[in-house]
Amino acid sequence: MTVTETVKETVKGALGASDEAPRATREQMSEAKLPLAYRDSCAHLAIPLNRCRFESYYLPWKCVDERHSYEKCQYVEFKKRVAKMDELRAAKGGARSN
């Protein structure tokens, strides 16, 4: 691995773009009182976001970095679901399921 690749992997990990996303455990999610609808693969980012929002009285100009990382995680997960659906649709010959 070259120095450039090492730097790229480090930056990806810092931005939350790595494939090995840290998962929040069930205990962490229940301690944070995270609603069931938000207990997904981005829950590890929702927990600090909600804590920051609570501590800053939900001021819209606070917690910008946390919100951006959470929303980016949600977007990446959406893109994965769309790619998987396109793959399934291509396997069916373009037929829709509904």
Side-chain angles (χ1 to χ4, degrees):
M1 183 176 270
T2 66
V3 174
T4 307
E5 292 171 346
T6 306
V7 170
K8 284 181 183 179
E9 289 300 316
T10 304
V11 170
K12 280 184 181 180
L15 295 176
S18 65
D19 293 334
E20 316 83 39
R23 301 280 185 190
T25 63
R26 290 179 189 229
E27 291 79 22
Q28 290 172 331
M29 290 186 268
S30 60
E31 285 175 11
K33 299 178 184 171
L34 198 63
L36 291 175
Y38 296 98
R39 296 185 184 192
D40 57 4
S41 60
C42 298
H44 66 283
L45 297 171
I47 293 170
L49 173 61
N50 287 342
R51 186 179 307 119
C52 178
R53 285 176 170 169
F54 178 77
E55 291 170 356
S56 63
Y57 302 103
Y58 290 85
L59 294 172
W61 57 87
K62 300 282 186 173
C63 311
V64 176
D65 295 332
E66 290 89 345
R67 190 184 79 209
H68 177 72
S69 61
Y70 176 72
E71 289 175 352
K72 182 173 183 346
C73 180
Q74 290 289 319
Y75 178 71
V76 168
E77 289 300 314
F78 169 75
K79 295 298 278 183
K80 286 180 186 176
R81 288 194 308 272
V82 168
K84 181 67 174 174
M85 194 65 205
D86 288 343
E87 179 183 313
L88 292 173
R89 192 173 293 141
K92 288 184 177 181
R96 297 184 66 104
S97 61
N98 55 358

